[in-house]
Amino acid sequence: MSLTTRSGTDRGDAGPCLRRRSGDGVYFPDPADRALRLPRLFALLFDADAQAGLRLVAGGGAAATLWRAPGLGKTSLLDLLLHVWPLWRALGGAIGRALTVSSAIDAHLPSDDVWYLHIAGCDPAAQGRGLGRAVVQAGLDRIAGDGRPVYLETANERNLGFYATLGFVVTEAWHVPKGGPAFWSMLRS
């Protein structure tokens, strides 16, 4: 399996796998709106995480992870303001929902100095081949010498067992306010 670290704005082939793995409707409940807007949103997140941490892509773009380094997990108001137009293009009418979800995620991030597995995705067509596990494990291996815990949250209950096999434990279950989705916070010490 090939594994690459992406730098700068080199999204290469990672965008499609991240877009296809997000069929859960956290930000865009409408499938047509989701198909239009997720590519723009993941391009923004992928580029932002180049400055915040580590981006790994496996299997020719079939799986990818975006990591934020300790102290860089939360999205600052300045970052939001600097990217207001691209965010509007990506989110459109879902901007209120996305900001509510983002605020809830930030509120549940540990205050400790942790690595944050911001986004992990595997193209559904490539699932079951071990690519998702390999790309998450590769990130864990790269940050292991740091000695800090790793945090993630997931809105997909089916992911809990997968992350448990990688040493993560559920620390909290919560809902996004205003009728938003359920999330589970997980930590790996």
Side-chain angles (χ1 to χ4, degrees), residues 1-4 6 13-14 17 20 56-64 122-123 126 129-132 134-135:
M1 175 200 61
S2 66
L3 179 73
T4 58
R6 298 288 167 85
D13 45 15
C17 95
R20 286 189 294 267
L56 299 172
V57 179
C122 185
D123 187 328
R129 297 185 356 213
L131 295 172
V135 76

Side-chain angles (χ1 to χ4, degrees), residues 147-167:
R148 295 183 179 153
V150 181
Y151 171 83
L152 65 84
E153 78 279 323
T154 182
N156 187 338
E157 190 171 9
R158 293 182 311 236
N159 290 342
L160 298 177
F162 168 76
Y163 287 121
T165 65
L166 290 163

Side-chain angles (χ1 to χ4, degrees), residues 16-77:
C17 95
L18 294 175
R19 179 175 70 243
R20 286 189 294 267
R21 76 80 160 120
S22 289
D24 53 26
V26 169
Y27 293 111
F28 309 106
D30 176 63
D33 197 33
R34 185 179 318 130
L36 171 71
R37 298 195 177 279
L38 275 179
R40 295 175 186 163
L41 178 60
F42 282 120
L44 285 171
L45 295 173
F46 195 86
D47 293 350
D49 281 0
Q51 305 302 317
L54 174 67
R55 301 175 309 173
L56 299 172
V57 179
T65 53
L66 309 180
W67 302 79
R68 291 190 177 177
L72 300 175
K74 294 184 180 185
T75 304
S76 73
L77 179 58

Side-chain angles (χ1 to χ4, degrees), residues 5 64 105 168 187:
T5 303
I105 288 171
F168 288 89
L187 196 65

Side-chain angles (χ1 to χ4, degrees), residues 73 86 97 112 132 168:
R97 178 182 173 92
D112 304 325
F168 288 89

